[in-house]
Amino acid sequence: MASQHKLIFTGLLISISMQWTLSISEEELHASYWNNKARQALHTALNVQPNIHQAKNIILFLGDGMGVTTVTAARILKGQLAGESGEETSLVMDTFPHLALSKTYNVDQQMPDSAGTATAYLCGVKANYGTLGVTAATPRGNCSATYGNEVTSVLNRAKKAGKSVGIVTTTRVQHASPGANYAHSANRSWYCDSDLTPEAIQNGCRDVAYQLVHNIEIDVILGGGRQYMFSNTTQDPEYPTDRGYRNDGQNLVTEWLKNKMNAKYVWNKAEFDAINPANTDFLIGLFEPKDCRYELERDASMDPSLTEMMEKAIKILSKNPKGFYLFVEGGRIDHGHHGGRAKRALYETVEFDRAIGRAAELTSELDTLSVVTADHSHVFAFGGHSARGNSVLGVSRVLAEDKKHYTTALYGNGPGYREGTRPDVNETISSTNDYLQQATVPLDSETHGIEDVAIFAKGPMSHLFHGVQEQNYIAHVIAYAACLEPYENCDLPPPDHAGSIHPSLLLLLMSLLLLSLCSV
């Protein structure tokens, strides 16, 4: 028996040694590598200069539920998907020069939700749990308390200033995060008229879908949420057994299209791909009855990715010489965590970061303020004894006290709790799409976290994101940078129009200039 244990121990050491060798490059073994790397980072930091011009364009990227632990795990996953060990990889958001922390609590709750937080970072005012676009004087579910307590979003202010505006999300477009851009509701769950309570109907409150169409003219709307826009007698075009949810008989898509020139509605990838931004000024695309499918499950022939939706939105909105405001949400990061399935959440985060990277290629940092943040975190933990390059979805190399393996990705609570004896696990099991990470407390849905979340920023006035701030500060920086209400008199220099030149075009012009000089 002792010899058998010795063999197992020796095999384990060999395995760890091989993994260590495969994951660590030769140059990392020498001090010069780390010293040079730090010098380069120091040089970059010393050359960071604040851009004090007015922002022409604003893009707010919202990773719903994207806590710092999720950012770290997604960074490593991104690298591992590219064949690297992962830890040394950078997400696109990691490269943004300015960073702050955001305090996420709601006025009435220590653990926040996506509605109260969205009201904070989009409207500049903290609110109650579950309420959209209203102050904390509105208790959740009290329709009559909405009146007189409405607050105005940055999207609304940007539209008033003459900018084009858009919403892109992987959730339903009536969901809490996108909803705070345009709605005022005492309850985030009033998606359509059939969700309204008798008190809400009696006091004249409108559902979120109705407000999407009637509150403010939004130029581009892309995501899920078809069923809230059509009557309960209308058959869904993709799922014939499904019907709309509306009791009032309205077709809100038709309502939205009214009195608009060059306006289109699409519901599938083929129609989406056929849209030419050059001759489209208004676009609404609703690709699922409720939320869009997870990136791991998305049918690329039927539904566009978050990156594809965002790119189409930018190309349409950027035609406006006064600029644009675009809200881009990786909304199903949150849903993956709630379901206790870390793989879904992390793949959503990688796709979210891909969208951030594509936006950087389509815009200029000189005139576009880009902000990446989260509304809240989750009780998602990532740790344990793991060698360099260990799979994000893998297991610890050291057994637990019960002599069983455990995954390095875990949840503090949620559906992954197991009654009785804890099951053993290996990477073959834990890396499947539907694997439920183990949780310590049994809940049917894993909860949000309470800790601060990160704010990453670049572009005009992005240096104002610093330190630890209340979450509602975000909306105020955005409004100030773009000289929107209440900062119309911000006295900032006009946008740097050099930013209107696409980076690749600028490179071409420089090359032509160099050739002409060489030929003289």
Side-chain angles (χ1 to χ4, degrees):
M1 182 64 72
S3 61
Q4 185 179 1
H5 285 169
K6 186 175 180 180
L7 282 171
I8 293 172
F9 181 70
T10 303
L12 181 62
L13 285 177
I14 293 171
S15 175
I16 292 171
S17 176
M18 288 177 63
Q19 187 172 8
W20 185 82
T21 304
L22 289 171
S23 300
I24 299 177
S25 63
E26 169 66 26
E27 60 185 359
E28 289 185 26
L29 304 179
H30 305 288
S32 58
Y33 170 81
W34 298 106
N35 288 330
N36 289 333
K37 194 175 182 67
R39 286 192 192 99
Q40 291 169 10
L42 180 60
H43 177 77
T44 300
L46 289 169
N47 285 279
V48 171
Q49 297 294 327
N51 179 346
I52 59 170
H53 288 80
Q54 181 180 334
K56 175 185 177 183
N57 309 312
I58 307 118
I59 308 177
L60 177 55
F61 294 95
L62 193 282
D64 198 314
M66 190 185 69
V68 173
T69 308
T70 301
V71 172
T72 302
R75 176 191 303 135
I76 298 173
L77 175 61
K78 177 184 176 181
Q80 292 179 349
L81 291 173
E84 302 166 356
S85 64
E87 296 85 358
E88 69 291 336
T89 302
S90 289
L91 294 167
V92 177
M93 67 183 89
D94 292 337
T95 66
F96 284 23
H98 301 291
L99 186 69
L101 290 177
S102 169
K103 296 159 70 174
T104 63
Y105 66 92
N106 295 147
V107 170
D108 63 338
Q109 294 274 1
Q110 189 177 74
M111 186 199 78
D113 90 311
S114 294
T117 53
T119 303
Y121 64 75
L122 292 174
C123 304
V125 176
K126 285 220 170 193
N128 290 331
Y129 189 100
T131 63
L132 280 177
V134 290
T135 71
T138 304
R140 185 175 189 178
N142 188 335
C143 163
S144 61
T146 301
Y147 300 108
N149 292 316
E150 301 91 343
V151 289
T152 305
S153 71
V154 173
L155 178 145
N156 193 310
R157 296 177 233 173
K159 188 68 176 183
K160 287 181 181 177
K163 297 182 185 295
S164 295
V165 298
I167 291 171
V168 174
T169 180
T170 51
T171 67
R172 62 203 81 179
V173 296
Q174 306 86 357
H175 211 254
S177 303
N181 282 284
Y182 57 83
H184 311 286
S185 180
N187 193 330
R188 59 175 286 181
S189 300
W190 292 344
Y191 295 121
C192 72
D193 66 320
S194 60
D195 296 319
L196 294 172
T197 62
E199 184 269 342
I201 295 170
Q202 179 181 347
N203 286 295
C205 281
R206 293 290 191 173
D207 58 275
V208 177
Y210 181 93
Q211 295 186 59
L212 170 66
V213 172
H214 293 283
N215 279 10
I216 184 168
E217 186 179 74
I218 302 174
D219 302 88
V220 177
I221 302 168
L222 298 172
R226 276 197 305 261
Q227 65 182 13
Y228 307 114
M229 307 294 279
F230 298 99
S231 76
N232 53 22
T233 61
T234 303
Q235 186 181 60
D236 187 84
E238 187 174 3
Y239 308 101
T241 58
D242 288 358
R243 297 287 187 275
Y245 270 23
R246 302 198 66 82
N247 291 334
D248 58 13
Q250 289 200 50
N251 181 328
L252 291 180
V253 169
T254 299
E255 285 295 313
W256 185 84
L257 291 168
K258 278 183 181 177
N259 304 317
K260 288 184 174 71
M261 298 291 291
N262 303 319
K264 301 286 178 58
Y265 163 63
V266 298
W267 65 267
N268 60 49
K269 183 66 159 49
E271 293 178 349
F272 174 83
D273 288 343
I275 294 295
N276 182 357
N279 55 29
T280 304
D281 297 326
F282 297 93
L283 175 63
I284 183 168
L286 304 173
F287 303 103
E288 288 290 333
K290 290 186 178 178
D291 302 315
C292 295
R293 294 190 177 276
Y294 287 106
E295 184 62 21
L296 278 171
E297 303 169 348
R298 180 175 62 86
D299 182 347
S301 68
M302 286 298 296
D303 300 331
S305 66
L306 177 64
T307 301
E308 290 168 330
M309 290 192 289
M310 183 221 62
E311 178 169 348
K312 189 82 73 175
I314 288 178
K315 288 181 176 179
I316 293 172
L317 300 175
S318 61
K319 295 186 298 180
N320 187 337
K322 292 186 177 181
F324 66 84
Y325 165 89
L326 179 60
F327 175 81
V328 181
E329 183 195 22
R332 304 222 67 190
I333 299 169
D334 178 67
H335 296 171
H337 281 319
H338 278 309
R341 292 180 167 90
K343 185 173 184 178
R344 292 184 180 184
L346 297 180
Y347 271 75
E348 292 295 308
T349 310
V350 171
E351 170 60 21
F352 177 66
D353 192 66
R354 189 168 79 93
I356 297 168
R358 182 58 182 142
E361 296 169 352
L362 295 167
T363 59
S364 169
E365 191 173 338
L366 294 175
D367 68 355
T368 302
L369 172 62
S370 298
V371 180
V372 181
T373 191
D375 45 358
H376 54 74
S377 66
H378 278 265
V379 292
F380 171 61
F382 183 48
H385 298 278
S386 52
R388 175 79 176 272
N390 191 62
S391 170
V392 168
L393 302 166
V395 299
S396 171
R397 69 186 182 194
V398 177
L399 298 181
E401 290 296 314
D402 60 2
K403 309 303 180 187
K404 295 177 181 177
H405 300 88
Y406 62 94
T407 57
T408 52
L410 296 163
Y411 288 100
N413 58 48
Y417 175 84
R418 293 292 180 267
E419 292 280 359
T421 304
R422 188 178 72 89
D424 203 351
V425 62
N426 58 48
E427 189 177 329
T428 302
I429 296 170
S430 64
S431 61
T432 59
N433 290 357
D434 292 324
Y435 176 72
L436 282 171
Q437 267 69 27
Q438 292 174 8
T440 58
V441 176
L443 291 177
D444 62 348
S445 177
E446 178 265 3
T447 69
H448 298 163
I450 298 170
E451 72 273 14
D452 300 346
V453 296
I455 308 169
F456 307 83
K458 68 172 183 174
M461 305 308 294
S462 59
H463 62 283
L464 295 179
F465 288 107
H466 71 103
V468 180
Q469 304 289 349
E470 294 285 359
Q471 194 167 44
N472 62 302
Y473 177 73
I474 296 170
H476 285 264
V477 173
I478 292 172
Y480 182 82
C483 296
L484 305 175
E485 296 177 0
Y487 305 108
E488 305 96 319
N489 300 320
C490 62
D491 199 28
L492 295 175
D496 190 336
H497 291 294
S500 61
I501 302 177
H502 193 276
S504 59
L505 178 58
L506 188 61
L507 183 62
L508 176 61
L509 291 173
M510 290 173 66
S511 301
L512 292 173
L513 178 61
L514 184 62
L515 285 172
S516 65
L517 290 173
C518 292
S519 62
V520 173

